[in-house]
Amino acid sequence: MLSAAGFVPQPANTPERLATLRKFPPNKFVQQVKNNQMVYVYADPIVCQCVYFGDQTAYAQFRQMVFAKKLADERQMTAAMAQDAFDFGPWGGPGFMF
């Protein structure tokens, strides 16, 4: 999702980059100012062993994507629960005997 939102991954493929990767909290966003602009940094030491860099636009897009995914997951759960809501009507409900 980070790449789709506009974040650019940079691999920790040198000893210096690997040391810097380890300084960041894993799997959390860190805000830093560079050239008077906010930069969002996300360290992924497990999956890609890289650091993602993005601007305010990429961060806003990522947050929107996360929100949309949570909303879709919630709607899917609600639909699954609604499928289980069977109308027992003439069968008398859950207390019936087979």
Side-chain angles (χ1 to χ4, degrees):
M1 259 201 285
L2 288 165
S3 293
F7 280 83
V8 179
Q10 294 292 319
N13 56 4
T14 67
E16 294 83 15
R17 284 185 172 192
L18 193 55
T20 302
L21 171 68
R22 291 183 179 138
K23 289 180 183 179
F24 288 108
N27 305 310
K28 294 189 186 291
F29 284 101
V30 174
Q31 299 174 352
Q32 295 190 341
V33 176
K34 183 173 182 178
N35 298 331
N36 292 328
Q37 292 198 344
M38 187 65 68
V39 176
Y40 292 85
V41 181
Y42 184 91
D44 183 352
I46 305 294
V47 177
C48 71
Q49 203 167 22
C50 67
V51 176
Y52 288 89
F53 295 92
D55 58 10
Q56 180 65 41
T57 302
Y59 183 72
Q61 179 66 25
F62 177 78
R63 299 299 300 163
Q64 180 61 34
M65 291 168 72
V66 168
F67 176 78
K69 182 180 181 329
K70 285 182 180 179
L71 186 61
D73 289 348
E74 187 175 303
R75 286 181 178 164
Q76 183 179 12
M77 185 172 56
T78 301
M81 288 170 39
Q83 276 184 333
D84 293 338
F86 179 74
D87 179 15
F88 288 94
W91 291 278
F96 61 84
M97 302 288 287
F98 284 105

